[in-house]
């Protein structure tokens, strides 16, 4: 039986030379692999109260939607600035070169709601950290953060755990 990691392909020099891109679309395309990933992403949170699932742009929408459906809970997207149609709140965060802004609808999460954050890949943790700040500003309580892939050399897991956030990953890849 294949593992989740075996469904993920690596593409060298994408999007830039020297980058090893971990492509989860091959995981999503395989029904057994996709089901395995969704089930395994849910396992660490069994028994936890979860009111909403937040997916981080963009592959987090695919995983988050599937996980929210499995739990019969609502799904909330956290998107890049300017992509959501309603009133939003924003959070800037640092990239390797520059800055980006993530947004969430201001009415997406009610105070006290328990939230699971989902994305495909954990690198530096910047995107997830921006998402946690948005959720906390709305009064949401973060149950945990669930990822398919961790790139441990980039320190995202250490960052999130240093903030007291429970983190679950299905597999790790060395190299950025």
């Amino acid at each position: 039986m294949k593992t989740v990691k075996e469904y993920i392909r690596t593409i060298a020099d994408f999007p830039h030379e020297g980058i090893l891109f971990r492509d989860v679309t091959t995981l999503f395309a395989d029904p057994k692999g996709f089901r395995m990933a969704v089930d395994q992403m849910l396992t660490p949170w069994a028994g936890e109260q979860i009111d909403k699932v937040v997916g981080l742009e963009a592959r987090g929408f695919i995983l988050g939607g599937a996980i929210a459906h499995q739990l019969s809970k609502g799904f909330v997207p956290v998107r890049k600035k300017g992509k959501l149609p309603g009133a939003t709140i924003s959070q800037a965060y640092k990239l390797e070169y520059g800055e980006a802004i993530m947004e969430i609808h201001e009415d997406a999460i009610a105070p006290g709601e328990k939230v699971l954050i989902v994305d495909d890949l954990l690198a530096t943790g910047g995107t997830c950290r921006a998402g946690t700040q948005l959720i906390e500003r709305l009064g949401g309580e973060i149950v945990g953060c669930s990822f398919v892939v961790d790139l441990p050399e980039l320190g995202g897991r250490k960052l999130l755990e240093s903030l007291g956030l429970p983190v679950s990953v299905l597999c790790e890849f060395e190299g950025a």
Side-chain angles (χ1 to χ4, degrees), residues 82-141:
K83 301 289 186 181
L84 292 171
T88 61
I89 61 169
S90 301
Q91 182 65 50
Y93 67 103
K94 292 187 189 311
L95 297 170
E96 187 174 353
Y97 301 103
E99 192 172 89
I101 298 174
M102 299 300 281
E103 294 183 327
I104 191 171
H105 279 127
E106 65 183 16
D107 61 353
I109 295 170
E113 283 190 311
K114 310 283 190 218
V115 178
L116 177 64
I117 299 174
V118 175
D119 204 0
D120 68 318
L121 185 130
L122 178 57
T124 66
T127 303
C128 188
R129 178 62 184 133
T132 66
Q133 291 170 308
L134 290 167
I135 293 162
E136 289 167 347
R137 285 170 51 198
L138 293 176
E141 299 174 22

Side-chain angles (χ1 to χ4, degrees), residues 7 13 15-16 21 23 31 56-57 69 82 90 94 104 109 121-122 125 130 145 155 161-162 165 171:
Y7 285 99
D13 300 320
H16 305 289
F21 185 80
D23 181 17
L56 304 176
E57 184 149 340
H69 173 78
S90 301
K94 292 187 189 311
I104 191 171
I109 295 170
L121 185 130
L122 178 57
C145 307
E161 289 176 341
S162 75
L165 297 167
C171 62

Side-chain angles (χ1 to χ4, degrees), residues 20-33:
L20 294 172
F21 185 80
R22 308 310 179 171
D23 181 17
V24 295
T25 63
T26 49
L27 170 68
F28 296 165
D30 186 283
K32 289 180 183 169

Side-chain angles (χ1 to χ4, degrees), residues 156-171:
R157 184 176 193 153
K158 287 181 183 175
L159 169 70
L160 298 176
E161 289 176 341
S162 75
L163 299 168
L165 297 167
V167 176
S168 172
V169 299
L170 302 187
C171 62

